[in-house]
Amino acid sequence: MSDPYETTEQHLERLLRRALNSFDLPDCTVERLGTALAHSSSLHSSHHSSVLHRETYRHTYLLSDGSALTLWELVHGGARDTTDRRSRTRPGPQHHELYADEDDAHVAAARLAGSFSDMPAFGDDAPQADLDIHTVLMAAPPAPLPRMYAPDNSADHARRVLRRAENGDAPGEETACLLRAAFAHHITQIFGRQCRVDGRDAGFTLYEHAFLLLDGSETSLWEVEHTATPDGRHMCEVYGDEQAAREAMESRTRIC
């Protein structure tokens, strides 16, 4: 995982370059990392199965002011079959994600577990399979647990959620302006499932980012993460209401 001859600067550059979501790190975190003098990396947790290989690494940096800063790296990929009888199934291409907060890394790990759960995969592109996909994606979620809002730089969190949206109909400047008054938030994974899209495996996860505003009102962003893209890459879409998010997931199972 690490090169003993690699400098801290080279190590950090390598992590940021390969992470799919490095742009999502808070600007203040990246600025502080620029003063790193030394680092230490260790394996925090791992999960290996026939459909998912996941590892979480903890990278701790000693900064010039004497403080320490930790990045959490999530490395994951599906299993890749091999026709060589002398070899076991090997991991497929790996994807890397970086998080400045351990809880965010846990949510991301749970997202993968939800996308590659032990629930049976949907069938081929038959009419009944399409109906099953539609039924599950559009089903009403179970009654949610009470929200436990956390005041944790929530306005910046909202900004980062909106910034990573790749859909053209994502909430616009009016919503962004409203969320500048957010002082607490709560993230809930509403849905996570693996299914077949256009003959390929694709994972879908739906999150609700609920925000508590300064005037006491509440509002939410609905984030869809999926791999139903032509090249199988990870994609984020953000919507202003749950129905639109579920309809987007449903449409993604038909159009690739």
Side-chain angles (χ1 to χ4, degrees):
M1 180 66 186
S2 60
D3 181 348
Y5 301 103
E6 186 177 48
T7 67
T8 296
E9 183 180 5
Q10 291 170 335
H11 171 84
L12 182 58
E13 181 183 358
R14 179 167 58 88
L15 255 62
L16 294 173
R17 184 173 61 248
R18 72 189 181 192
L20 297 173
N21 64 332
S22 58
F23 63 87
D24 204 30
L25 291 172
D27 294 339
C28 60
T29 297
V30 177
E31 291 176 3
R32 292 184 65 202
L33 286 169
T35 70
L37 303 174
H39 70 279
S40 174
S41 299
S42 61
L43 178 65
H44 181 69
S45 65
S46 65
H47 169 88
H48 299 282
S49 68
S50 60
V51 293
L52 174 65
H53 292 263
R54 173 189 56 76
E55 296 172 336
T56 303
Y57 292 88
R58 177 176 180 167
H59 303 283
T60 302
Y61 298 87
L62 176 64
L63 307 184
S64 60
D65 62 1
S67 63
L69 191 154
T70 297
L71 289 181
W72 301 86
E73 183 182 25
L74 190 63
V75 183
H76 59 89
R80 176 168 55 88
D81 292 332
T82 177
T83 56
D84 186 350
R85 294 183 179 180
R86 296 170 296 178
S87 303
R88 294 182 178 180
T89 300
R90 301 188 300 273
Q94 290 187 327
H95 305 285
H96 299 258
E97 301 175 29
L98 279 178
Y99 298 92
D101 185 271
E102 183 178 4
D103 288 342
D104 289 343
H106 286 169
V107 169
R111 175 200 75 209
L112 295 173
S115 295
F116 296 90
S117 66
D118 56 1
M119 296 294 290
F122 291 108
D124 295 330
D125 296 332
Q128 183 59 45
D130 286 342
L131 179 60
D132 292 341
I133 293 172
H134 176 85
T135 300
V136 173
L137 292 177
M138 302 303 291
L145 296 174
R147 288 173 180 157
M148 301 294 291
Y149 283 106
D152 185 19
N153 204 6
S154 300
D156 185 62
H157 175 76
R159 179 183 63 82
R160 288 185 281 120
V161 171
L162 290 171
R163 186 172 64 179
R164 61 179 175 246
E166 298 183 58
N167 52 308
D169 54 348
E173 183 57 33
E174 182 179 350
T175 298
C177 182
L178 177 68
L179 289 171
R180 292 189 189 115
F183 74 93
H185 67 279
H186 178 84
I187 306 171
T188 305
Q189 180 176 330
I190 303 297
F191 175 89
R193 193 61 51 87
Q194 174 92 354
C195 62
R196 301 285 291 180
V197 176
D198 198 24
R200 295 181 289 104
D201 287 335
F204 288 86
T205 312
L206 174 63
Y207 296 97
E208 180 187 11
H209 300 263
F211 296 92
L212 185 60
L213 307 183
L214 289 172
D215 62 2
S217 62
E218 298 174 287
T219 190
S220 293
L221 293 176
W222 299 84
E223 181 180 23
V224 176
E225 294 187 348
H226 66 85
T227 55
T229 51
D231 56 359
R233 73 175 181 88
H234 178 267
M235 180 177 182
C236 290
E237 303 178 21
V238 179
Y239 297 90
D241 63 81
E242 182 179 6
Q243 181 67 17
R246 288 182 174 273
E247 289 176 354
M249 287 194 297
E250 194 274 335
S251 68
R252 282 288 181 179
T253 67
R254 304 176 185 277
I255 304 173
C256 187

